[in-house]
Amino acid sequence: GAVVSQHPSRVICKSGTSVKIECRSLDFQATTMFWYRQFPKKSLMLMATSNEGSKATYEQGVEKDKFLINHASLTLSTLTVTSAHPEDSSFYICSARGLTPLGEQYFGPGTRLTVT
Amino acid sequence: GQNIDQPTEMTATEGAIVQINCTYQTSGFNGLFWYQQHAGEAPTFLSYNVLDGLEEKGRFSSFLSRSKGYSYLLLKELQMKDSASYLCAVFDSNYQLIWGAGTKLIIKP
């Protein structure tokens, strides 16, 4: 299957700072990328959907000014958590989908964010 | 509303067979996925069904009945490494993935 990388895998930051997470599709062009967060023992929660070259579509309840998403190319999307707070601590996972809408989503390995 | 139901937790014995059920009510249907997720890791793709019937892939099989809004994932010859959460997800009419909460599968020796 296709490979999606995510960086960093773990990050610890202080409250009030910003953190950027990168998601890359390594061997295919991702027309659509998805950002999820997952709390312990809970299911994935879709935060936003981004299409290359256009603004991300955020799910209800997700603050677009706090979670900045940039999908600048067909292989890279970034999520920036601005002014992080301890309640933002979570597992953030990106996934990518290629040109075929019926194709499965390929997930990155996830980023464990801890805000102290 | 859109809803996907699957059991929260199941327990099975190493070497046995287990069936994890998933029922869905969504606005349209364009396929159903099963993913495996080990604790602390991202989900990995297991199967995709868009037509009725059984798809077999090694020790894992997935079944779909669109008329019943029902799918199951069948795991044979269970191994300890199969202990994980299994997520059912459906593509709705807009090709948005609707996720179930996942079934935690515990394998005992």
Side-chain angles (χ1 to χ4, degrees):
Chain A
V3 179
V4 175
S5 71
Q6 206 171 322
H7 177 80
S9 57
R10 289 179 180 271
V11 59
I12 300 172
C13 70
K14 292 186 177 180
S15 188
T17 60
S18 294
V19 174
K20 180 185 283 188
I21 303 170
E22 290 188 351
C23 178
R24 292 181 185 272
S25 57
L26 299 184
D27 52 1
F28 70 104
Q29 293 184 324
T31 53
T32 306
M33 284 189 170
F34 304 86
W35 286 96
Y36 295 86
R37 67 186 299 182
Q38 187 176 35
F39 293 104
K41 300 182 180 180
K42 299 293 184 182
S43 186
L44 297 170
M45 186 190 81
L46 180 64
M47 298 174 66
T49 302
S50 72
N51 293 294
E52 184 265 338
S54 62
K55 290 184 178 180
T57 301
Y58 289 81
E59 296 299 303
Q60 193 172 8
V62 179
E63 299 175 57
K64 62 180 181 180
D65 294 329
K66 179 170 182 61
F67 298 98
L68 302 178
I69 292 172
N70 187 341
H71 192 164
S73 75
L74 286 172
T75 59
L76 173 64
S77 177
T78 61
L79 167 68
T80 302
V81 182
T82 63
S83 187
H85 289 280
E87 56 264 32
D88 298 326
S89 298
S90 186
F91 192 44
Y92 291 87
I93 308 172
C94 75
S95 71
R97 192 166 71 196
L99 293 173
T100 306
L102 292 176
E104 67 263 26
Q105 291 181 221
Y106 300 98
F107 285 87
T111 297
R112 176 78 57 193
L113 171 63
T114 303
V115 184
T116 60
Chain B
Q2 311 213 82
N3 193 49
I4 295 185
D5 290 315
Q6 50 183 132
T8 304
E9 187 173 298
M10 298 182 70
T11 302
T13 305
E14 189 177 16
I17 300 173
V18 71
Q19 177 175 310
I20 303 174
N21 296 324
C22 170
T23 57
Y24 62 90
Q25 301 93 38
T26 56
S27 56
F29 177 84
N30 280 303
L32 185 144
F33 296 88
W34 283 97
Y35 285 85
Q36 180 191 60
Q37 185 178 25
H38 286 99
E41 298 179 11
T44 55
F45 171 80
L46 289 178
S47 67
Y48 172 61
N49 293 66
V50 66
L51 299 176
D52 291 347
L54 186 69
E55 297 270 348
E56 298 187 71
K57 191 183 293 185
R59 294 189 298 115
F60 293 6
S61 303
S62 57
F63 171 83
L64 174 67
S65 169
R66 288 172 295 171
S67 62
K68 296 181 179 179
Y70 167 70
S71 172
Y72 67 72
L73 179 69
L74 189 71
L75 293 76
K76 302 177 184 176
E77 301 170 17
L78 286 170
Q79 302 174 10
M80 298 303 292
K81 67 178 182 179
D82 297 329
S83 293
S85 288
Y86 292 85
L87 308 175
C88 174
V90 170
F91 257 158
D92 70 6
S93 56
N94 295 318
Y95 292 99
Q96 297 296 317
L97 258 186
I98 311 300
W99 291 90
T103 299
K104 182 178 180 181
L105 178 62
I106 300 169
I107 310 296
K108 295 185 175 180

